[in-house]
Amino acid sequence: MKLLVPVRRENRIVLGVAFFIVFVALWSFLSLSGAVPRHFLATPWQTVVSGWNLFATQGFTHDVGMTIWRVVGGFVLAAVIAVPLGIAMGVYKPIEAFFEPFVSFARYLPASAFIPLLILWVGIGEAQKLTVIFIGCFFQLTLMITMIVSGTRRDLVEAAYTLGCKDTGVIRRVVLPGAAPEIAEALRQVLGLGWTYIIVAELIGASSGIGHMITDSQALMATDHIIAGIVVIGLVGLLSDLAFKKVNQHLFSWSLLR
């Protein structure tokens, strides 16, 4: 190994798969050896069988679909507002000075802390769950986009003004093309953050969703179902992340040449 030397794609895949093999081997040892009782830690095979039964006999596909809808819905609502606001804060410093103190304050507030208020304000329906995801994503995304746009090269901006561009032209021809790849990457990262809030969003008043299944399984001490639900969240989140990454590479392939 050498510092900062990239790993070939084939080696990266092998190393990534090797970690999962080691992880499952350790998990199997802990559960099969009795080091951790099986009613506290189901074996990998138990988890696989339980996951299959959830999909085959208990309608878990509907739960997964509802969870995906909540994550994507809350994330899209956050992005629709955060992207233009973050761009405006990045290019116009008075707007940044107005919004940035509150946004910086709000991003440290855990979304779960708002659940009692959200139940009072919007009830326990879908609006409450979407709002939890929205709060978890919005403030982080706004600040990330502000920082990205603020990093636009000043010499390019000055050159655009010298060539006769107005403010809107500079934003459209200089700021947005330069910041778009990093904004897309910020969106990808924050979508992953949204997945970390879904269990909290589905803890109260949910009649469907992966979080609802996990909560019910906790009462029954069905650790195989709990672990299966956690694994499904990880797999769906990973697939959405890879899809987002592929789309970004397709839309901004020129940025890979930097």
Side-chain angles (χ1 to χ4, degrees), residues 22-32 41-44 47 227 231:
V22 172
F23 176 80
V24 172
L26 178 60
W27 175 10
S28 300
F29 171 77
L30 290 175
S31 56
L32 293 173
L41 180 64
T43 66
T47 301
I227 297 172
V231 170

Side-chain angles (χ1 to χ4, degrees), residues 4-67:
L4 304 178
V5 175
V7 178
R8 289 190 306 172
R9 186 173 181 273
E10 297 80 5
N11 292 342
R12 180 178 292 275
I13 293 174
V14 170
L15 290 171
V17 171
F19 175 83
F20 280 100
I21 292 174
V22 172
F23 176 80
V24 172
L26 178 60
W27 175 10
S28 300
F29 171 77
L30 290 175
S31 56
L32 293 173
S33 67
V36 179
R38 291 194 187 183
H39 56 275
F40 288 131
L41 180 64
T43 66
W45 180 246
Q46 278 182 283
T47 301
V48 170
V49 172
S50 295
W52 174 260
N53 289 334
L54 284 171
F55 282 104
T57 64
Q58 300 186 36
F60 193 48
T61 302
H62 174 70
D63 290 319
V64 174
M66 289 301 299
T67 294

